[in-house]
């Protein structure tokens, strides 16, 4: 009698790393990853097999004719319902307030991804930030709610326990003024090399084009050199 063998590895895990000065907004079951408008910075997607440039607005932002901005969306992983787990949340810069989704008009680009199962802060380093007349502020741990003075992460890792299909990134919106672009994310191979069991791994980076520091980017340059 022949018996049908169960399918092997029906799904994979996904690891999404964010390296750079991203702001992540968790809203409506999605994590919106915002890259700031910054002169001479570029974004790219790296996998073990590919390195793909991501189009975005160049600072300073045009004053007219750019009503959309660049909005990308990643599909593939199963989003987690409810609140995401977080390892060592004290290493994050967290602002707790209810906000609608922010438009991509004033960002280099925005990438929407499903809520991860777990958020892992990466590469903590000492920082000091003081409240500057804001009605809402970062949760502090320095003895006063107006000051952050501690180890905080400069990278994030999103962990998805279930990614049934290969992750894919598509351009959803773009500015109407420039010549329309059709970014090519193929072959977009996110298979992780050298790991068993198999999984997917994507790194989203946002960093300076320059090879040496300047007055606008010296802190960012030093940060990436340390990485």
């Amino acid at each position: 009698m022949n018996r049908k063998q169960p399918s092997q590895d029906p799904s994979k895990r996904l690891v999404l790393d964010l390296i750079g000065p991203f702001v992540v907004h968790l809203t409506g079951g999605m994590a919106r990853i915002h890259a700031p408008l910054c002169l001479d910075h570029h974004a790219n997607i790296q996998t073990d097999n590919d390195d793909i440039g991501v189009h975005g607005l160049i600072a300073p932002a045009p004053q007219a004719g750019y009503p959309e901005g660049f909005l990308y969306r990643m599909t593939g992983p199963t989003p987690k319902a409810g609140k995401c787990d977080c390892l060592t949340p004290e290493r994050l810069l967290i602002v707790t307030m209810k906000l609608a989704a922010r438009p991509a008009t004033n960002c280099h680009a925005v990438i929407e991804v499903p809520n991860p199962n777990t958020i892992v802060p990466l590469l903590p380093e000492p920082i000091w930030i003081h409240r500057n007349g804001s009605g809402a502020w970062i949760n502090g741990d320095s003895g006063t709610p107006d000051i952050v003075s501690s180890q905080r992460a400069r990278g994030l890792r999103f962990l998805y326990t279930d990614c049934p299909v290969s992750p894919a990134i598509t351009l959803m919106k773009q500015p109407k003024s420039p010549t329309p672009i059709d970014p090519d994310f193929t072959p977009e191979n996110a298979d992780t090399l050298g790991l068993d069991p198999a999984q997917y791994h994507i790194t989203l980076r946002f960093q300076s084009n320059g090879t040496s520091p300047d007055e606008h980017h010296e802190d960012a340059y030093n940060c990436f050199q340390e990485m």
Side-chain angles (χ1 to χ4, degrees), residues 64-119:
Y66 282 68
E68 297 285 355
F70 286 92
L71 174 64
Y72 300 87
R73 184 170 296 160
M74 185 182 76
T75 57
T78 302
K80 180 182 180 180
K83 187 177 179 180
C84 305
D85 297 327
C86 182
L87 300 181
T88 59
E90 66 276 5
R91 290 184 172 183
L92 293 179
L93 290 170
I94 301 175
V95 177
T96 53
M97 59 187 304
K98 294 182 179 180
L99 287 173
R102 309 307 295 169
T105 309
N106 296 320
C107 301
H108 177 83
V110 174
I111 297 181
E112 293 183 340
V113 303
N115 274 353
N117 294 89
T118 305
I119 299 175

Side-chain angles (χ1 to χ4, degrees), residues 1-222:
M1 180 174 64
N2 293 327
R3 291 186 178 179
K4 186 177 180 180
Q5 295 295 321
S7 60
Q8 299 296 316
D9 192 24
S11 65
K12 294 184 178 181
R13 293 174 296 160
L14 169 64
V15 178
L16 173 63
D17 289 339
L18 310 179
I19 304 299
F22 294 108
V23 173
V24 178
H25 183 199
L26 300 175
T27 178
M30 302 287 291
R32 289 173 58 90
I33 303 163
H34 303 77
L37 271 176
C38 193
L39 188 66
D40 291 335
H41 273 59
H42 70 95
N44 68 316
I45 298 166
Q46 284 190 321
T47 72
D48 290 1
N49 298 280
D50 289 316
D51 189 347
I52 305 165
V54 177
H55 292 275
L57 296 178
I58 303 300
Q63 297 301 307
Y66 282 68
E68 297 285 355
F70 286 92
L71 174 64
Y72 300 87
R73 184 170 296 160
M74 185 182 76
T75 57
T78 302
K80 180 182 180 180
K83 187 177 179 180
C84 305
D85 297 327
C86 182
L87 300 181
T88 59
E90 66 276 5
R91 290 184 172 183
L92 293 179
L93 290 170
I94 301 175
V95 177
T96 53
M97 59 187 304
K98 294 182 179 180
L99 287 173
R102 309 307 295 169
T105 309
N106 296 320
C107 301
H108 177 83
V110 174
I111 297 181
E112 293 183 340
V113 303
N115 274 353
N117 294 89
T118 305
I119 299 175
V120 184
L122 304 175
L123 307 169
E125 65 179 359
I127 69 165
W128 188 92
I129 301 179
H130 184 271
R131 174 177 178 173
N132 189 22
S134 174
W137 187 232
I138 298 164
N139 301 334
D141 56 5
S142 60
T144 169
D146 289 345
I147 296 176
V148 172
S149 179
S150 60
Q151 295 272 340
R152 298 300 172 105
R154 62 177 188 259
L156 289 178
R157 172 164 292 164
F158 287 0
L159 300 179
Y160 298 89
T161 58
D162 188 28
C163 190
V165 298
S166 178
I169 297 175
T170 56
L171 175 61
M172 307 301 293
K173 292 182 180 179
Q174 60 180 296
K176 294 178 180 179
S177 292
T179 303
I181 62 171
D182 185 17
D184 183 11
F185 292 124
T186 57
E188 198 179 355
N189 185 345
D191 289 343
T192 305
L193 302 179
L195 292 184
D196 185 24
Q199 64 185 52
Y200 300 111
H201 189 193
I202 296 175
T203 299
L204 178 64
R205 298 194 313 164
F206 185 66
Q207 70 174 68
S208 173
N209 281 316
T211 57
S212 60
D214 58 55
E215 61 177 337
H216 302 293
H217 300 120
E218 187 168 2
D219 58 339
Y221 176 84
N222 292 334

